[in-house]
Amino acid sequence: MDDRITTGGGACAVGELAWDVVLWRRGRADVSACLLAGTAASWLLFYGPGRGYTALSLASDVLLLLLTVLFLWAKAARLLNRPAPPVPAMRVSQRAVDEAAALLRAALDAVCAGFHDIATGRDSLLFCRVFLCLWALSIVGSLTDFPTFCYASIVALLTLPALYQKYQECVDTYMRFAYMNLRMYEMVYERFSMKCFIRVRDCVMEVLKDP
């Protein structure tokens, strides 16, 4: 019971943090801006016009430069009796590992349960949702490659919800106006199609009546 409460509390905390980052609120705007800038910069670096790096080569070069600088700094500090570089002791706590494992397990259990419900025909609504999502992903995948799709999804996730929350009234007004126009055109099309159907039916009946 305590494990479930702890797992649920950790999931809620992670969810609130994610929503704060996505909506640029509660002092998380700097994190959102850094993620957006990093996403744009990495796309330009890897897939832009002047691309010359891959993710593996860039990570290797950065780590090589960082470790070389820290190593030479530490050696020079010993020889010159200077303070060593301020490198903190980096350790992963067991609690963080347990929480991450619990969240991953909960997500995998949900995916497996949904797959089982679809495979056994128990949840038709879930099947329709998954079918539409996979179909949309297939269409998008045929138009672009996977890395570009991931970058575009991250940029959209970090911009569209925040913009909608900021201009919600204006967006809702335009959406209602567009919906009313769509309904009006739909009614006009239905009336026009019904008139065409009636005329075609009358013409067919007249042709059939003639000897």
Side-chain angles (χ1 to χ4, degrees):
M1 183 68 180
D2 296 336
D3 295 338
R4 293 181 180 179
I5 294 176
T6 304
T7 303
C12 292
V14 173
E16 290 180 359
L17 177 62
W19 274 114
D20 291 340
V21 172
V22 169
L23 296 177
W24 299 56
R25 64 185 183 185
R26 296 180 185 176
R28 306 294 182 181
D30 52 348
V31 180
S32 305
C34 290
L35 286 176
L36 184 60
T39 301
S42 60
W43 185 86
L44 291 175
L45 185 63
F46 297 144
Y47 303 98
R51 58 184 180 181
Y53 280 99
T54 61
L56 183 60
S57 62
L58 180 63
S60 300
D61 292 341
V62 170
L63 288 176
L64 178 62
L65 179 62
L66 179 62
L67 291 176
T68 303
V69 170
L70 291 176
F71 179 79
L72 295 177
W73 186 357
K75 289 296 185 182
R78 287 184 181 179
L79 293 175
L80 301 176
N81 294 324
R82 296 291 183 178
V87 180
M90 293 177 287
R91 295 180 179 177
V92 180
S93 63
Q94 186 64 34
R95 180 179 179 182
V97 174
D98 293 339
E99 291 181 356
L103 291 175
L104 180 61
R105 179 183 177 185
L108 291 177
D109 286 342
V111 172
C112 293
F115 181 82
H116 183 268
D117 291 340
I118 293 175
T120 55
R122 295 180 179 178
D123 197 337
S124 301
L125 181 60
L126 181 60
F127 169 74
C128 295
R129 291 177 179 176
V130 174
F131 179 83
L132 291 176
C133 291
L134 293 178
W135 184 48
L137 287 176
S138 177
I139 295 175
V140 174
S142 63
L143 298 176
T144 183
D145 54 350
F146 182 70
T148 303
F149 172 72
C150 292
Y151 282 114
S153 299
I154 294 174
V155 172
L157 183 63
L158 291 174
T159 53
L160 295 181
L163 291 175
Y164 174 74
Q165 188 183 30
K166 186 176 181 179
Y167 302 103
Q168 183 176 2
E169 296 182 358
C170 183
V171 173
D172 291 342
T173 301
Y174 281 108
M175 290 297 293
R176 284 193 294 267
F177 180 73
Y179 178 75
M180 291 174 62
N181 287 333
L182 183 63
R183 289 292 299 171
M184 181 181 66
Y185 289 130
E186 184 179 359
M187 293 174 63
V188 172
Y189 173 75
E190 289 179 355
R191 292 177 182 176
F192 177 76
S193 60
M194 183 59 66
K195 290 181 179 178
C196 292
F197 174 76
I198 293 174
R199 288 182 180 179
V200 172
R201 185 192 63 183
D202 293 341
C203 292
V204 172
M205 295 297 293
E206 291 179 359
V207 170
L208 293 176
K209 287 181 180 179
D210 293 336

